[in-house]
Amino acid sequence: MKKAVWRSVLVYVLFSVVMSLYIFQWADTSIPSPYQGTAADPATFMTEQQLLLSEDYSKVRNVLYFLTTPYEWLLLFVLLGLGLSAKIQSWSQMTVRVQALQICIYLFWMTLFTTILTLPFKLYGYNLSKEYGINVQPFQGWMKDFMLDFWINFFITAIIVVVLYSLMKKSAKRWWLYAWFLSIPFTLFLTFIQPVYIDPLYNDFYPLKDKQLEAQILSLADEAGIPAAHVFEVNMSEKTNAMNAYVNGIGDHSRIVLWDTTLNKLNDQEVLFIMAHEMGHYVKKHVFLGIISYLAVSLAGLYLIYRLMNFIIRVWGSRIGINHTHDIATIPLFFLLLSLLSFLFTPISNTVSRHHEIEADRYAVELTGDQTAAVGSFQELSKSNLSQVNPPLIVKIFRYTHPTMLERIHYLDTYEFKEIEKK
């Protein structure tokens, strides 16, 4: 197993070199000739400096992503392969007798181990965004959010893992099915409470200050058939220069949220288009479709993890000091398989997400009838976020939940209004 660990380290190093060469040297990110000179060509709406910054910033961020994800897999494999997981399990069992507390102790040390060893990547990402003028948050504030992330994720993960491993112990053959059934109300609960109880831990949310603009947005919502009493604004300008807007939550806790940076940088018509886009997600029921898709995929994923864990423990369990699937020491294996399967499924989920975004774009331009605002909002978004307008194919497949800016701007710029049918 030690040889396997060292081979994994070597594979990781080689992978990092190849991905870096691909993104920095081999990938073609130039604008195709049919798009040159059009509204989708960044040369028509970005300065030369913005073009250089967006390319450089995006390349480094993309490399950082493709280095961080397999690095996290490597850390989990090291815990298993060097027998550290079995040792932490023994220590937690000697500390307390209750299994739930044993799991919490184990999970704390595992989480602390991976968090500390991935911290350099996160710090580099923070400093990178500061250097390029995207992040304006002081280090103290960033560390506060980082620690808040740690404890919220640990608390939620501890609940999930305690329940999961209790099911594994009670039903070795059906735990994956029972876990899936329990995940349904838990997922809905988290989706329901996130806008009201979790998001405000990070930022201040309040009804839109510009009442005239709010009235226009609510009028647009009424035209779209959306019951809405408020549009929420969040003070992101103290943390970032980037722009964003989103819709989250379900039922009475559904929220349409605008970053204040979006309000500061876009004119009213562009803001209305952005809001119409978010309303499109609501009207097209993308949140509910996302939840349903997630639950369907998670059922298949849990079953695959069940089969793979049994196989791995049966073949290699004795080499890593693990005897049963329900042993606490298999927690890194569960998360490793979960992360690998999630990564492999990412191209499919991103494709579906990009389709939903195009649907929302189409809905927004149909509802507002304002093609100029639609194009202008994405051009401004590209500049503020230093977005790479035409990213490499592999980056698009694995990272882009939205169509590229080249695709979105071109689609809206060439949209034919004779197809418009007001909903």
Side-chain angles (χ1 to χ4, degrees):
M1 290 305 298
K2 288 182 180 179
K3 288 182 179 179
V5 169
W6 283 111
R7 286 169 186 161
S8 298
V9 172
L10 179 60
V11 169
Y12 172 74
V13 172
L14 292 174
F15 171 81
S16 301
V17 171
V18 171
M19 283 305 304
S20 299
L21 287 172
Y22 169 74
I23 291 174
F24 279 106
Q25 300 292 333
W26 302 335
D28 181 14
T29 60
S30 62
I31 306 301
S33 55
Y35 299 92
Q36 292 177 5
T38 69
D41 184 352
T44 64
F45 60 86
M46 282 186 178
T47 65
E48 187 174 342
Q49 183 183 22
Q50 287 172 330
L51 285 170
L52 290 172
L53 289 175
S54 65
E55 281 294 313
D56 292 344
Y57 179 61
S58 297
K59 286 178 179 178
V60 178
R61 285 181 69 235
N62 290 333
V63 169
L64 195 62
Y65 168 79
F66 283 107
L67 266 58
T68 302
T69 302
Y71 178 71
E72 292 170 353
W73 301 341
L74 181 63
L75 292 180
L76 293 172
F77 185 66
V78 166
L79 280 172
L80 292 165
L82 297 183
L84 297 176
S85 186
K87 290 178 181 178
I88 299 173
Q89 173 185 260
S90 298
W91 183 78
S92 65
Q93 288 173 339
M94 288 188 295
T95 305
V96 292
R97 302 182 67 178
V98 180
Q99 186 190 33
L101 294 178
Q102 292 171 359
I103 291 173
C104 290
I105 291 171
Y106 178 96
L107 196 61
F108 173 79
W109 289 110
M110 187 195 83
T111 305
L112 188 63
F113 170 79
T114 55
T115 298
I116 290 173
L117 291 181
T118 55
L119 183 58
F121 285 95
K122 292 181 172 64
L123 280 171
Y124 183 78
Y126 165 74
N127 289 323
L128 178 73
S129 61
K130 287 275 286 188
E131 180 183 347
Y132 280 84
I134 300 296
N135 196 325
V136 295
Q137 186 179 23
F139 180 75
Q140 295 89 338
W142 181 82
M143 276 303 299
K144 178 184 174 182
D145 286 349
F146 180 80
M147 294 303 298
L148 193 59
D149 272 341
F150 177 89
W151 287 110
I152 290 176
N153 290 334
F154 171 75
F155 178 73
I156 294 174
T157 304
I159 294 173
I160 294 171
V161 174
V162 166
V163 172
L164 183 67
Y165 274 74
S166 297
L167 293 173
M168 284 184 183
K169 194 171 184 179
K170 291 180 179 179
S171 178
K173 293 184 178 180
R174 294 286 183 269
W175 65 262
W176 58 274
L177 184 60
Y178 301 144
W180 180 77
F181 277 122
L182 289 175
S183 74
I184 297 174
F186 188 75
T187 300
L188 294 174
F189 175 71
L190 284 181
T191 306
F192 184 76
I193 68 168
Q194 180 180 339
V196 177
Y197 297 105
I198 298 178
D199 290 348
L201 294 174
Y202 295 89
N203 302 287
D204 295 327
F205 290 77
Y206 37 81
L208 191 61
K209 295 177 182 178
D210 187 337
K211 295 305 175 184
Q212 184 177 351
L213 179 59
E214 183 182 46
Q216 290 179 282
I217 293 172
L218 293 178
S219 175
L220 201 65
D222 182 64
E223 186 179 349
I226 299 173
H230 293 289
V231 176
F232 287 88
E233 181 180 345
V234 56
N235 63 331
M236 291 299 296
S237 57
E238 64 182 22
K239 295 183 178 181
T240 181
N241 285 319
M243 296 191 299
N244 197 13
Y246 61 88
V247 58
N248 67 348
I250 55 175
D252 295 337
H253 285 190
S254 295
R255 281 188 174 184
I256 296 175
V257 179
L258 272 165
W259 287 11
D260 60 348
T261 50
T262 304
L263 292 166
N264 295 336
K265 295 182 180 182
L266 300 183
N267 62 46
D268 286 359
Q269 295 307 310
E270 290 168 342
V271 170
L272 287 174
F273 172 79
I274 295 295
M275 284 290 90
H277 172 92
E278 299 307 326
M279 292 173 192
H281 286 305
Y282 181 94
V283 171
K284 300 293 183 180
K285 296 180 171 57
H286 290 159
V287 174
F288 284 101
L289 290 172
I291 292 173
I292 292 170
S293 300
Y294 166 77
L295 291 174
V297 171
S298 65
L299 176 62
L302 283 169
Y303 177 71
L304 280 174
I305 290 173
Y306 154 73
R307 297 301 298 266
L308 288 170
M309 284 183 73
N310 282 341
F311 173 78
I312 291 170
I313 298 305
R314 185 172 63 250
V315 176
W316 291 291
S318 59
R319 299 185 186 182
I320 55 179
I322 299 175
N323 300 315
H324 306 286
T325 305
H326 63 260
D327 286 354
I328 298 173
T330 63
I331 290 177
L333 177 60
F334 177 85
F335 281 110
L336 176 59
L337 293 174
L338 179 64
S339 182
L340 282 168
L341 292 175
S342 298
F343 183 80
L344 292 174
F345 185 73
T346 295
I348 299 174
S349 63
N350 283 353
T351 299
V352 174
S353 177
R354 289 194 294 268
H355 174 69
H356 286 170
E357 293 299 329
I358 283 292
E359 281 190 332
D361 285 347
R362 181 169 60 248
Y363 181 87
V365 76
E366 288 176 352
L367 184 63
T368 62
D370 195 337
Q371 189 176 18
T372 301
V375 171
S377 63
F378 285 128
Q379 288 178 337
E380 190 60 42
L381 193 66
S382 300
K383 290 189 288 185
S384 294
N385 296 2
L386 290 182
S387 302
Q388 192 173 30
V389 175
N390 188 34
L393 180 60
I394 292 178
V395 172
K396 176 185 174 181
I397 290 172
F398 282 97
R399 294 209 66 195
Y400 274 57
T401 57
H402 293 58
T404 66
M405 283 300 180
L406 184 73
E407 294 167 336
R408 298 182 86 173
I409 295 173
H410 179 72
Y411 175 79
L412 293 168
D413 185 48
T414 58
Y415 191 84
E416 299 201 10
F417 282 90
K418 64 182 180 181
E419 299 175 4
I420 292 178
E421 294 179 6
K422 288 291 181 74
K423 303 298 180 185

